Amino acid sequence: MSVDTAAAVAERFRELYGAEPEGVWAAPGRVNLIGEHTDYNDGFVMPFALPHTAVAAVSRRTDGVLRLHSAEVEGGAVELRVEKLEPESDRNWTAYPSGVLWALRQAGHAVTGADIHLASTVPAGAGLSSSAALEVVVALALNDLYDLGLKGWQLARLCQRAENVYVGAPVGIMDQTASACCEAGHALFLDTRDLSQKQIPFDLAAEGMRLLVVDTQVKHSHSEGEYGKRRAGCEKGAALLGVDALRDVAYDELDAALDRLGDDEEVRRLVRHVVTEDQRVEQVVALLESGETRAIGPVLTAGHASLRDDFRISCPELDLVVDTALAGGALGARMTGGGFGGSAIVLAEAADVETVTKAVEEAFAAAAFTAPRVFEAVPAAGARRAR
């Protein structure tokens, strides 16, 4: 995020509220390199932060009023009473920031209100965690302004609670943790059970490669029913297998576990994806740590096949990106994010980026799909104060 962006957000705050903000904060969206739908199964994930951020200019209030404004939404500031915030009472964008304030107060923190102006460059509905960025930037600002002393992982937990309970979306912990805790030049190896973290160096440019994000422009929403059905199916599988979470099913015991599930084909597919996906995360970590970066390509591609065939959350646009990119010489490709639309990632040699990008764009045109948005993903910094 540039200094100019922070200054522009601060200036708009002054126009809206007639006073200087106490500060400006930024929190990024994320790309998940590998580890999809494992986070709510206590498994492993490996996201990294994007340069695209949600930016918030914020000041405290002592009168129990929360005023919210977004540069992306027409109209004036929305005014809410802090003591009247109730879970699932808000179906608008304001549910995300107000849910964070609600979660902080529920956790016993005396947050008495705020004036907030938000602007975001994280594409909404693209599977890049625009909502988590919005939550985390507000949480970090309030943490600093009210001197709450919370760590990044604690803010992530509160933001997840805001989205689960206040918004009503059954998301895992990955997106918020990535936004709060990632470091520039690294991917975050996260154990979602105990929130232990390891920063894994991830500098593709130094090795002559690039990672492309292809936003299909197909919008998705986590709070809609299909995501919740997959989560419930995973919980059913864990219950049938007598484990706390599917993380507890060992990869080398997968076949035996599937046999125990009998003819419940839907649950068998969900279990197979989660267990093999955890294994793929560990594979990618091992390959990156041993310097075999190009070898992660086939692992990414295998992850897409599992999401498409077992978890069944892909769509024609995502499949077209993956198939076309691989045919054009990409090292690997897969959908990323919650599914049913959003984005795919493509790992390619730097010399092949232009060819692969052109092939994907032409394939979308031939299929009469909306033109995709393609950009390079470079691991960026997590949430921070901007001014």
Side-chain angles (χ1 to χ4, degrees), residues 16-317:
L16 286 162
Y17 301 122
E20 287 283 338
E22 292 185 76
V24 179
W25 290 260
R30 66 96 188 98
V31 161
N32 193 23
L33 184 63
I34 192 72
E36 220 65 78
H37 289 270
T38 49
D39 60 344
Y40 54 79
N41 289 291
D42 281 3
F44 305 119
V45 295
M46 200 173 185
F48 63 86
L50 288 168
H52 307 71
T53 57
V55 183
V58 185
S59 287
R60 289 167 289 183
R61 295 182 67 100
T62 59
D63 58 357
V65 171
L66 173 64
R67 292 196 292 183
L68 300 167
H69 185 269
S70 169
E72 282 69 56
V73 181
E74 290 187 10
V78 176
E79 184 169 313
L80 303 167
R81 296 293 306 180
V82 167
E83 73 273 10
K84 292 185 177 180
L85 298 177
E86 292 288 344
E88 297 195 56
S89 62
D90 186 350
R91 295 301 177 190
N92 299 308
W93 70 271
T94 49
Y96 296 97
S98 62
V100 169
L101 193 142
W102 171 86
L104 285 167
R105 287 171 58 84
Q106 285 284 304
H109 301 293
V111 180
T112 53
D115 284 340
I116 301 175
H117 170 60
L118 292 149
S120 180
T121 58
V122 185
L128 303 176
S129 296
S130 59
S131 60
L134 196 61
E135 292 158 359
V136 170
V137 75
V138 171
L140 181 61
L142 295 175
N143 182 57
D144 287 357
L145 290 175
Y146 283 93
D147 197 23
L148 304 181
L150 299 171
K151 304 294 187 184
W153 67 268
Q154 293 172 305
L155 294 176
R157 278 284 194 218
L158 284 163
C159 290
Q160 182 198 19
R161 177 166 167 75
E163 192 154 353
N164 287 171
V165 180
Y166 195 89
V167 178
V171 299
I173 191 65
M174 174 182 66
D175 296 349
Q176 293 84 359
T177 306
S179 187
C181 300
C182 278
E183 294 180 5
H186 293 75
L188 178 67
F189 176 38
L190 173 67
D191 181 336
T192 65
R193 169 163 282 169
D194 62 11
L195 294 190
S196 59
Q197 304 175 17
K198 187 174 185 181
Q199 301 286 347
I200 308 293
F202 191 56
D203 185 357
L204 294 176
E207 300 185 61
M209 288 173 284
R210 300 289 188 272
L211 190 77
L212 302 177
V213 174
V214 182
D215 176 3
T216 65
Q217 308 284 342
V218 177
K219 304 301 181 186
H220 74 269
S221 172
H222 276 165
S223 54
E224 291 178 2
E226 292 301 319
Y227 184 99
K229 289 178 185 176
R230 301 304 188 281
R231 182 164 185 164
C234 290
E235 292 168 352
K236 179 181 178 182
L240 290 171
L241 293 170
V243 294
D244 290 336
L246 294 182
R247 143 75 172 277
D248 298 312
V249 180
Y251 178 73
D252 58 7
E253 297 172 4
L254 176 58
D255 288 343
L258 294 176
D259 287 344
R260 287 168 57 198
L261 291 172
D263 59 359
D264 193 334
E265 185 56 33
E266 182 177 1
V267 172
R268 283 167 55 91
R269 286 190 286 99
L270 298 177
V271 170
R272 183 165 54 227
H273 166 73
V274 172
V275 175
T276 58
E277 186 79 347
D278 274 334
Q279 172 74 1
R280 282 186 285 273
V281 177
E282 294 187 289
Q283 277 184 276
V284 168
V285 171
L287 289 168
L288 291 177
E289 291 189 324
S290 63
E292 300 174 78
T293 307
R294 283 173 174 78
I296 74 172
V299 185
L300 303 184
T301 304
H304 182 77
S306 182
L307 289 162
R308 180 192 64 209
D309 300 335
D310 277 344
F311 229 67
R312 300 191 179 181
I313 56 171
S314 189
C315 66
E317 291 86 351

Side-chain angles (χ1 to χ4, degrees), residues 288-363:
L288 291 177
E289 291 189 324
S290 63
E292 300 174 78
T293 307
R294 283 173 174 78
I296 74 172
V299 185
L300 303 184
T301 304
H304 182 77
S306 182
L307 289 162
R308 180 192 64 209
D309 300 335
D310 277 344
F311 229 67
R312 300 191 179 181
I313 56 171
S314 189
C315 66
E317 291 86 351
L318 288 168
D319 293 341
L320 185 60
V321 173
V322 172
D323 294 344
T324 304
L326 294 173
L331 297 166
R334 73 172 193 91
M335 60 154 284
T336 187
F340 311 105
S343 299
I345 55 174
V346 177
L347 180 67
E349 301 287 357
D352 294 334
V353 164
E354 189 175 336
T355 301
V356 169
T357 301
K358 184 179 179 182
V360 169
E361 290 172 344
E362 290 178 347

